[in-house]
Amino acid sequence: MASAYLGPESPRPLAVISESYRGQYHLPELGGEDRLSLGPEYEEQLFSLLHKYLELGTTDTLCYIGDTRDGLAARIEKRFCMMEPVQTLVPGHFHYAETGEHKMVPIRISHVGAEEFFRNLAREREVGGGETFDKVLLHDACRYLTQPADLYANITRCLSPGGTLLIVHRPAHLTTLPFFRDAQHRLADNDVPYMDIVRDLQGVKLDVQWELEVVPVTMTKRKWLAMVRDHYPPQMEIMSHTEVLSGLRELTEGVLKYEGNQVEFTDRLLFIKATQSTLENGYPSVQRYSARQFEPFPAQRDLKLTMKLSTDSITPARTRTTKAHPQQYKFLWG
């Protein structure tokens, strides 16, 4: 009888939370592309932004650099009715493996990825061979690059005249995706600062335009939790399975605990558009997208100044002369 009157210290609160979590959420098994998709409405807005910044045409040749598991490259090809198949490349040289201590260790793989591909293609272009691309899309993959400036320089050599490189970057310190706390801190520690990306692009003499876009997302709580369990977005691969399970418990007993089956949040994406510099001396410009284009300071380049003169712009004034000197005129600026 005495056990019926025990206080909250028995059973311990931690055990109560654990039992509640296990019994309340039965997460679905997501299959196919749905595992790594934030929904059709989200993708439709993403396609609109790609059209805005990349201006994809049906006859353009596109190279997609990013995670290939979500099938986004194939959907871009279908959405924009592209006549040429999209060239897809994995971005990096790293594979993550879980240790016995439930930590993820990066394993470097040589001679694969976008850097190796464009390095070889740039060498072929130097001798007059190799293909070119009208557009190159680097989607949420900057963290994989070991020598980003070299990659951007090689991509520039492989772009057709007037071609565009578009980088879609999700800054970890600006993200509003409902992650658990450990994931937020780890992703921020492993993030690539966007100013480093801009400096690398500027270093290879590219004109850079940037804009931060906010894309709303609406989905069921169970689907989002299932996506986190399956390590979405791809940056979550640095978290071990044990860390993710602990994070799911934190979410279900925290920000996602309240009533309602739907969750609404936003995805903040930085669109960085880089094009070959149109200036003779190659001084790149950096500006916010759609801002007024500006020229470098005049002292940075030689200027050729000319002025046209016509008969209407000068006024002759007669002066007296002697017999020894014919009639003279002096010209006054009108």
Side-chain angles (χ1 to χ4, degrees):
M1 294 294 295
S3 61
Y5 301 98
L6 291 176
E9 64 277 359
S10 179
R12 300 190 62 81
L14 191 61
V16 173
I17 292 175
S18 177
E19 291 170 4
S20 173
Y21 165 72
R22 290 176 183 173
Q24 184 177 359
Y25 280 90
H26 301 283
L27 301 182
E29 293 294 332
L30 302 177
E33 298 174 353
D34 198 41
R35 294 177 57 249
L36 300 174
S37 172
L38 291 176
E41 294 83 4
Y42 172 89
E43 287 192 355
E44 188 62 29
Q45 295 191 55
L46 180 62
F47 292 153
S48 297
L49 292 171
L50 291 178
H51 176 69
K52 174 182 177 181
Y53 293 102
L54 202 53
E55 300 177 354
L56 272 175
T58 57
T59 59
D60 286 338
T61 53
L62 172 67
C63 179
Y64 176 88
I65 305 172
D67 196 308
T68 58
R69 295 174 298 169
D70 58 1
L72 182 60
R75 293 199 294 277
I76 290 175
E77 181 180 330
K78 180 179 179 180
R79 175 66 171 76
F80 291 93
C81 303
M82 305 189 68
M83 299 178 65
E84 297 290 335
V86 176
Q87 172 73 59
T88 58
L89 300 174
V90 294
H93 299 75
F94 294 100
H95 170 72
Y96 287 86
E98 187 168 355
T99 67
E101 300 177 352
H102 307 298
K103 298 294 182 181
M104 302 301 287
V105 177
I107 301 174
R108 182 165 183 172
I109 304 173
S110 300
H111 306 296
V112 297
E115 290 179 277
E116 186 74 15
F117 175 85
F118 277 102
R119 186 182 299 115
N120 295 333
L121 186 58
R123 290 172 183 165
E124 294 179 21
R125 294 289 302 160
E126 289 178 357
V127 297
E131 60 182 329
T132 60
F133 295 100
D134 298 314
K135 309 290 171 62
V136 175
L137 173 59
L138 184 64
H139 183 244
D140 199 19
C142 291
R143 65 191 177 279
Y144 292 106
L145 306 179
T146 55
Q147 296 177 316
D150 290 344
L151 173 63
Y152 303 148
N154 290 329
I155 289 177
T156 304
R157 297 186 185 101
C158 301
L159 283 176
S160 58
T164 301
L165 165 63
L166 179 64
I167 299 175
V168 180
H169 180 59
R170 181 182 284 121
H173 67 287
L174 295 179
T175 187
T176 51
L177 299 182
F179 291 131
F180 51 92
R181 185 171 303 179
D182 263 359
Q184 291 175 347
H185 293 164
R186 292 276 294 280
L187 294 179
D189 291 342
N190 288 271
D191 191 30
V192 178
Y194 64 88
M195 281 308 301
D196 288 354
I197 301 174
V198 172
R199 277 193 290 265
D200 287 336
L201 293 169
Q202 193 178 15
V204 295
K205 298 185 177 182
L206 293 173
D207 289 340
V208 182
Q209 295 177 303
W210 58 270
E211 187 63 80
L212 184 66
E213 298 283 359
V214 179
V215 185
V217 183
T218 302
M219 65 171 57
T220 63
K221 291 180 181 178
R222 295 176 70 244
K223 181 184 177 184
W224 172 250
L225 292 171
M227 293 177 69
V228 173
R229 179 201 60 197
D230 293 341
H231 294 77
Y232 180 89
Q235 300 100 302
M236 288 284 289
E237 64 186 357
I238 64 175
M239 309 294 297
S240 69
H241 182 67
T242 301
E243 291 171 324
V244 169
L245 288 180
S246 176
L248 289 175
R249 173 179 164 181
E250 176 187 321
L251 290 176
T252 54
E253 294 299 329
V255 295
L256 299 184
K257 179 180 180 180
Y258 302 101
E259 292 184 2
N261 295 324
Q262 297 289 112
V263 59
E264 297 181 1
F265 51 93
T266 58
D267 189 15
R268 294 183 176 182
L269 299 173
L270 189 65
F271 286 76
I272 306 174
K273 178 179 178 179
T275 55
Q276 296 166 339
S277 178
T278 57
L279 302 178
E280 293 179 0
N281 290 341
Y283 290 101
S285 66
V286 179
Q287 61 183 359
R288 193 158 188 164
Y289 187 81
S290 76
R292 185 177 64 85
Q293 180 70 29
F294 59 87
E295 296 286 342
F297 189 75
Q300 294 181 344
R301 52 189 291 192
D302 295 333
L303 300 178
K304 295 180 181 180
L305 303 178
T306 60
M307 178 182 292
K308 269 190 172 183
L309 294 179
S310 65
T311 55
D312 296 334
S313 63
I314 54 176
T315 303
R318 300 190 67 170
T319 61
R320 290 185 179 181
T321 61
T322 64
K323 292 182 179 180
H325 296 86
Q327 191 175 19
Q328 294 180 350
Y329 290 90
K330 68 176 180 180
F331 294 93
L332 302 177
W333 293 105

